[in-house]
Amino acid sequence: MEIQKNHSAYLDPILERHAHRATDLLQILRAAQEHFGWLHPEAIDHLTRRLGVPRAKIEGMASFYAFLHLQPAGRYRVLFSDNITDRMLGSAALRERMCRNLWIEPGKVSEDGLVSVDTTSCTGMCDQGPALLVNGMAVTRLDAQRVDAICDLIRNQAPLAAWPTEYFRVVDNIRRSDLLLNPGFIPGAALTAARQRGGQGLLHEIKASGLRGRGGAGFATAAKWEACRDAAGEAHYVVCNADEGEPGTFKDRVLLARHADEVFEGMTLCAYVIGARKGLLYLRGEYRYLLDHLDRMLARRRENHLLGASILGQPGFDFDIEIHVGAGAYICGEESALIESLEGKRGTPRNRPPYPVTHGYLDQPTAVNNVETFVATCHIALAGGAWYAGIGAAQSSGTKLLSVSGDCARPGIYEYPFGISVRQVLDDCGAADTQAVQVGGPSGTTLATHEFDRLIAFEDVPTAGAFMVFDIRRDMFEVARNFVHFFAHESCGFCTPCRVGTSLLRNLMDKLHNGQGSPHDFHEIEKLDRILLSASHCGLGHTACNPVLDTIAKFRPAYELRLQQRRFVPAFDLDRSLQTARQMTGRDDGATHLHDEGSVR
Amino acid sequence: MTAHDATRPAPPPAGAPERKPKLATVSLAGCFGCHMSFLDIDERLFTLIEHVTFDRSPFTDKKEVGECDIGLIEGGVCNAENVQILREFRQHCKILVALGACAINGGLPAQRNSIPLSSLLQAVYYSSPRLPHGGIPDDAELPLLLDKVHPIHEVVKVDYFIPGCPPSADAIWSVLRDLLAGRAPVLGHGMLHYD
Amino acid sequence: MSKTFTLDDKRIPFEDGQTILQAALAASVYIPHLCYHPDLEPHGSCKLCTVKVGGRQTAACTLRAAEGMAVESDTGEINAQRLALVQMLFVEGNHFCPSCEQSGDCRLQATAYQLGMLSPHFDHFFPNRPVDASHPDFLLDFNRCILCSLCVRASREVDGKNVFALAGRGLKTHLIVNAPSGKLGDTDFGGADKAAHVCPVGVILPKRRGFAVPIGERTFDKSSIADYVASRHGKRGGEK
């Protein structure tokens, strides 16, 4: 590790760029870490002095985010995406291969401080996995050969810039396009159309379109914008939620890569309606590789008078967009947690009400919408609400982007009018022998074969976009267990039921996995599900039990297979917990072993 | 329930059995404090003995547990022998009761759980200034320590719990009376404490 | 005061802006809670005060009372859930009551008594949480921390010191101290701080005063937490 005592040398320019705003703390820490590799205590001293933020607050904040490090984490920090789809593509074996190859233990930094290898939640590359992040940059399509080559690059200490660019290539995999993904959008066209209608006129069109939020909850976009516009405040804010963290979802990645103009223009339309001068796009840390591209797009829009002062030459229509990059926290996809994170805090969901439309960013009225929602508003501004309302299903107008991954021939992005059947999607993506589809990610719904005629729509199966396919070779218990691990890892820790309950649930699922499950444990799982569902603070806890409830209801044999014990047995291996004592006493006689209960006496 | 009530004989169990129920007790990783508190039921012991037969227990010095109706377990599970005995009790007792803080959450012995067992043995047998540094005993008579001390409900299914360090004689008596009468025991206010 | 809502079978008057918990306590009706303190902003994290309103569960400490609301609190279903939450707190930390100076005065323990907790039920996590004895007058025993953040909020909102903060995430969430060393002895924490007097469990303890009150005479030896809290609210206008 490079010895650099003078932390102010790199911190001061970062602080300058952020105008010493304590609310930008997360961005400042990210930038500091990109420079130095980790957050040195002396760097925190410096930030404490310059920002007037207590160091415990900085440490408390930094330790919340998986991608920030308060201790050296290796000059190469490798994180394997641990979604079920990565696992199905063999990620676990590749990770072991890398650890073996580099002579390191998973989760630990090598003794020379060179490298660490660990797992992270889904990185949004399910259509081209297995994937990993190295120092925050996405590497796709891993195989044994690529893993070995990466090990060589790390051992030779090759800078990331010298790695083959092919490793970092992210393809869009657009398999079916409709109105959002079709090319031909002319930057500024939607704004021009909107200006002809006026803010109220645009709002009217969006209302007429029936557009509902694409983040999954489906709140009416026009109602949100109107409530935000009408809320009193010193300033109004537009926030684009690009923290696409739901495992199995990657459609925002493609929209940001291909259709960033529409995303930014949609935000600008919102600003026009609600009277905002500032917009923030919260980009998930896993998509850090898109940042330069997005910054260039923003710069171009400024040059073209589509952002900045007097947009389209209209005096007083001033609006600009800042990009904030997340740092590995699924919970920040929850809008109030996202706002906390934008304010440089731990991403803990707020108590609601009040809602962000009245008390959002910096306690001001804030409209938070999904990437896809903003893109849709551009097309509504251009072609009108009535046209849009005619597309899709009765209570779900328009189209929906699905991120299709898992057991199918053609994973990627599929855009359909709402109301498409699950079966049709399966046919289109080349899925065979499908036994289940996880729609909406771990927090969504597990559908079994008898439900494949159900429709993707708010009135039937709502989704933010994830569509993970599992064929008959897959063990649906293991799928649910992967999701339960995900929730335990991503629980923010604020409320008791989710903080403790998700970990208890994880341990019980592991107990079943290890062959120690009995009907008693099954009963406990059901009890925890009920508590999570009813007592948790936010959607994460409420939905953390969904994959378990669904798979129990629809794939019960997968559980019964796991209930190998008729009577209660411990969750830990009794014989293994005597191992240390055996080693230290040098004994190995009969009395030093504990076998399972059947063999007692 | 008042102390006065508690001194009254237990009501005969419904449909009085032909033989007296059998009661077994044991202390695992405990200090026998719960057993001492058991003895504090004082003259009620005479009532109890009219209604139960003691099987394995420090009171009988019987070393093997037979088929029993009620087993009282004091102490947590800290070594291999504890596990064996606890399993035997579970196999032979219709009703298993965790008696006292250590059986319920590991108690004082479990406060070693934050220290790795290897460091613990090193510290005690190699670096402690108060002990001869003769190495870690390997006598086959000594049960091996588990990595962690566990409450008994983490090792076997437990039917009832009597918290306290120790549980009061009144609490123990109350639970036994309820169990002998075929009722689910309830610890009323004042009898429920963890210290 | 004319507005009221019903809490189980009782009619509870309230003033605009009061939460269900505040109004209930002002009317001397107990709803279990651990992370709420009348002098600090409601937080809503422990979820012990979860009640049912219109069929939905919600934290009573953060939900504002409204005219005609029908609130269920003291029901078998809700108390069973509260019991499970308390049991979660017991297995999350290292709660060894017999060796804790706060035993008998501890709100976690008293709430567990109130809910009839006989065992922690779940498997223990037995986390490793070293104590901090660096301060001349106070001991920090993190083993007992339930992450209610009362000390964090008191130090920030009342003392203006920010001595404490929460760090980590999920089950790894833990309390930290605002000093480069991470030690309380290196902060300006003092006995006059509000934060020194809000811990509901036995994390922040004055030194040289352990076990001063004999068993039988401690706060919750003498009365249940329900009676204690109800009697201290309402008439006096605040829990102290």
Side-chain angles (χ1 to χ4, degrees), chain C residues 92-107:
Chain C
E92 180 186 23
N94 297 312
H95 298 277
F96 298 109
C97 297
S99 51
C100 176
E101 293 156 78
Q102 194 67 6
S103 191
D105 298 312
C106 169
R107 283 171 179 250

Side-chain angles (χ1 to χ4, degrees), chain B:
Chain B
M1 180 197 271
T2 65
H4 178 69
D5 289 333
T7 58
R8 269 193 264 156
E18 286 171 11
R19 65 164 185 87
K20 285 201 276 184
K22 281 193 175 173
L23 175 66
T25 75
V26 73
S27 181
L28 306 177
C31 69
F32 285 93
C34 298
H35 275 79
M36 296 307 289
S37 193
F38 188 4
L39 291 177
D40 279 345
I41 65 173
D42 298 335
E43 73 279 13
R44 289 168 289 189
L45 274 169
F46 295 112
T47 310
L48 181 66
I49 210 73
E50 286 171 25
H51 290 278
V52 303
T53 307
F54 273 94
D55 193 81
R56 174 176 175 161
S57 170
F59 309 145
T60 61
D61 211 23
K62 195 167 174 272
K63 304 290 190 231
E64 294 268 322
V65 60
E67 293 304 315
C68 285
D69 296 274
I70 301 170
L72 298 182
I73 310 281
E74 174 189 339
V77 184
C78 87
N79 62 35
E81 184 188 49
N82 294 158
V83 175
Q84 297 285 13
I85 295 172
L86 179 60
R87 282 172 161 182
E88 282 168 21
F89 264 69
R90 178 66 279 180
Q91 283 178 348
H92 291 95
C93 300
K94 288 189 191 124
I95 295 171
L96 199 66
V97 182
L99 179 65
C102 298
I104 288 174
N105 77 347
L108 189 73
Q111 294 189 49
R112 76 156 158 99
N113 282 356
S114 59
I115 308 166
L117 182 60
S118 52
S119 324
L120 202 83
L121 292 172
Q122 284 283 350
V124 170
Y125 292 107
Y126 289 106
S127 45
S128 166
R130 304 218 175 117
L131 281 172
H133 297 166
I136 300 166
D138 57 358
D139 191 320
E141 287 292 302
L142 291 173
L144 285 196
L145 293 177
L146 295 163
D147 282 345
K148 281 187 178 0
V149 178
H150 293 271
I152 66 168
H153 76 266
E154 294 181 7
V155 179
V156 297
K157 182 179 174 292
V158 177
D159 300 298
Y160 299 106
F161 301 85
I162 315 178
C165 184
S168 68
D170 285 349
I172 297 170
W173 178 238
S174 164
V175 169
L176 284 176
R177 268 168 39 111
D178 283 341
L179 290 176
L180 290 169
R183 293 187 298 258
V186 178
L187 283 180
H189 183 72
M191 275 196 283
L192 179 56
H193 62 93
Y194 306 149
D195 55 7

Side-chain angles (χ1 to χ4, degrees), chain A residues 210-280:
Chain A
L211 178 65
R212 298 171 68 172
R214 299 305 194 229
F219 192 80
T221 305
K224 188 182 272 185
W225 288 16
E226 190 169 29
C228 185
R229 181 194 66 183
D230 295 345
E234 291 157 25
H236 287 58
Y237 293 95
V238 179
V239 171
C240 177
N241 184 346
D243 191 43
E244 185 178 49
E246 189 74 40
T249 317
F250 47 89
K251 47 106 186 163
D252 292 342
R253 181 195 88 206
V254 174
L255 285 174
L256 292 165
R258 283 262 186 128
H259 298 272
D261 257 317
E262 289 99 305
V263 178
F264 294 138
E265 190 142 333
M267 291 176 72
T268 315
L269 291 173
C270 179
Y272 184 57
V273 170
I274 70 171
R277 295 166 58 88
K278 182 169 175 178
L280 298 142

